[in-house]
Amino acid sequence: MAAEAVLDIRNLVVEFPTRRGVLTAIRGIDLTIGRGEILGVVGESGAGKSLTGAAVIGLLESGGRIAEGEIHVCGRRIDQLPLREMQKLRGRTIGAIFQDPLTSLNPLLTVGDQLIETMRVHMPLSRAGAMARAVRLLQEVGIPSPELRIAQYPHQFSGGMRQRVVIALALCAEPELVIADEPTTALDVSIQAQITALLKRVCRDRGTAMMLITHDMGVIAETADRVAVMYAGRIVEIGPVASIIRAPRHPYTKGLIGSIPSLTQRSERLVQIDGSMPRLNAMPEGCAFHPRCRFAMAQCRRERPPLMPAGTSEAACWHLNGEVSHVA
Ligand SMILES: Nc1ncnc2c1ncn2[C@@H]1O[C@H](COP(=O)(O)OP(=O)(O)O)[C@@H](O)[C@H]1O
Ligand SMILES: [Mg+2]
């Protein structure tokens, strides 16, 4: 690798011990994100996207644990840090944006006070200095009249404006990495594009690395530089967005792309992926996707395909050079 990655995840395994045994939700994930880069993490509900993000920010629900693997941020291993160290990192080195802006905002504090408080926890700033920075930040994220808005409470903002405030909050201590989990899912379609454009701009301008988690391949197509497609706790395809959208290798990725209306109108029909993701306690043998895959053959039922190089990407499918790549 040319430059050191901002985020480097190696063989991450996340488990939930239950009374009936251990459920393995993340089954060995490797990925990196570089400075200024947006890595999209996409997949259906239950694929393990949020858990991957939560493992990085040290917010796995109680019971969930990192059973194997390592997480490095800017060269520092962070998966075994004591709680206090992790809390310092959160906000300062790693910012977070979640689906519902109200979960990140305190309804009892003005937007300005939240920004100022967060900045002053992490940086040596006077109140006046923090205030000036907060105004500039609100301006940067596209909030009109920031010097007036800064004195208002979250409920006085629209959904889209509130998510801009959350983005400002995630950025206010100048983190190296931002984890954004479904940041546009709760917003009107008309607002979604504005927010993704904003995320893209801040990553470019500030050199921030971003993990953009979404179930929506359309958001990935518009925003990310690279994409990791997740299925049943594993990455099944990873590579540059442009080439994966143009020539997806994994049948599951083809299915996800087939569900983007704007991309399929031009070609043929909307492809549906029949069936649903296997339950954690009922993982099929071989390729986890094989029960839903119309190309499944004997080997797929028996042997799990590892990620294998495929052009500029990698995909975990035994058909890489076979007939699958010629079928929609
Ligand atoms: N606290 C938990 N206890 C047990 N299983 C969990 C818990 N949290 C998540 N899981 C399981 O882990 C899998 C991945 O969840 P998640 O990362 O939230 O999926 P996604 O964000 O891709 O929709 C799912 O099967 C989910 O049921
Ligand atoms: Mg999720």
Side-chain angles (χ1 to χ4, degrees):
M1 202 178 309
E4 179 182 79
V6 175
L7 176 65
D8 184 356
I9 299 182
R10 301 177 196 160
N11 187 35
L12 177 68
V13 175
V14 173
E15 292 179 346
F16 291 94
T18 72
R19 267 178 300 158
R20 283 192 230 132
V22 173
L23 294 177
T24 309
I26 303 294
R27 303 167 170 262
I29 279 187
D30 293 275
L31 60 81
T32 61
I33 311 181
R35 267 183 68 76
E37 184 179 51
I38 302 182
L39 175 77
V41 176
V42 72
E44 291 164 299
S45 177
K49 309 180 297 295
S50 293
L51 284 181
T52 303
V56 173
I57 43 184
L59 288 178
L60 283 176
E61 273 178 53
S62 60
R65 65 179 184 216
I66 296 175
E68 273 180 60
E70 296 183 8
I71 301 172
H72 298 251
V73 170
C74 300
R76 179 182 181 201
R77 185 166 177 190
I78 64 160
D79 55 281
Q80 295 180 323
L81 289 181
L83 184 64
R84 269 197 59 76
E85 286 293 305
M86 199 62 214
Q87 283 167 342
K88 260 194 256 167
L89 222 66
R90 221 181 286 142
R92 181 73 182 96
T93 310
I94 311 174
I97 302 167
F98 297 107
Q99 176 170 336
D100 179 3
L102 291 178
T103 60
S104 309
L105 297 173
N106 182 338
L108 303 176
L109 287 182
T110 65
V111 155
D113 281 341
Q114 298 185 51
L115 286 165
I116 290 165
E117 214 168 78
T118 307
M119 280 190 259
R120 295 189 71 194
V121 165
H122 296 294
M123 304 160 112
L125 285 170
S126 66
R127 197 177 152 83
M131 175 73 109
R133 280 179 61 110
V135 170
R136 280 202 306 275
L137 203 55
L138 290 178
Q139 181 134 40
E140 184 184 339
V141 298
I143 292 183
S145 317
E147 59 293 330
L148 301 177
R149 298 293 254 163
I150 200 160
Q152 296 184 333
Y153 292 87
H155 74 267
Q156 294 173 286
F157 289 73
S158 67
M161 284 295 156
R162 238 179 252 146
Q163 197 60 308
R164 290 178 191 266
V165 172
V166 172
I167 293 169
L169 203 56
L171 296 174
C172 72
E174 302 186 336
E176 305 285 342
L177 172 70
V178 169
I179 307 287
D181 191 348
E182 307 276 2
T184 62
T185 303
L187 304 175
D188 282 358
V189 177
S190 58
I191 311 290
Q192 284 183 2
Q194 297 173 15
I195 297 296
T196 53
L198 168 62
L199 293 175
K200 232 160 123 165
R201 178 163 57 76
V202 296
C203 287
R204 297 288 176 286
D205 292 356
R206 292 168 166 255
T208 313
M210 179 173 296
M211 180 187 288
L212 175 65
I213 297 170
T214 172
H215 65 282
D216 186 341
M217 197 59 152
V219 168
I220 300 282
E222 276 169 30
T223 317
D225 302 298
R226 283 188 305 130
V227 58
V229 180
M230 285 192 69
Y231 189 80
R234 284 202 169 90
I235 292 175
V236 296
E237 183 156 6
I238 184 166
V241 166
S243 55
I244 287 188
I245 298 276
R246 186 167 20 83
R249 306 294 181 128
H250 198 288
Y252 181 63
T253 314
K254 285 173 207 266
L256 291 178
I257 290 170
S259 64
I260 314 177
S262 60
L263 290 180
T264 42
Q265 271 157 19
R266 267 171 281 130
S267 53
E268 334 87 85
R269 64 207 181 276
L270 219 66
V271 183
Q272 291 293 337
I273 319 173
D274 291 332
S276 54
M277 190 129 38
R279 299 163 57 91
L280 297 183
N281 58 3
M283 276 297 150
E285 287 280 294
C287 173
F289 187 63
H290 89 249
R292 300 173 74 184
C293 183
R294 54 192 160 126
F295 309 105
M297 51 187 187
Q299 185 182 18
C300 309
R301 295 185 194 97
R302 212 173 43 232
E303 205 180 332
R304 184 174 64 80
L307 278 171
M308 296 174 263
T312 51
S313 322
E314 288 175 83
C317 176
W318 293 123
H319 285 91
L320 276 189
N321 304 308
E323 71 272 35
V324 163
S325 46
H326 305 298
V327 187

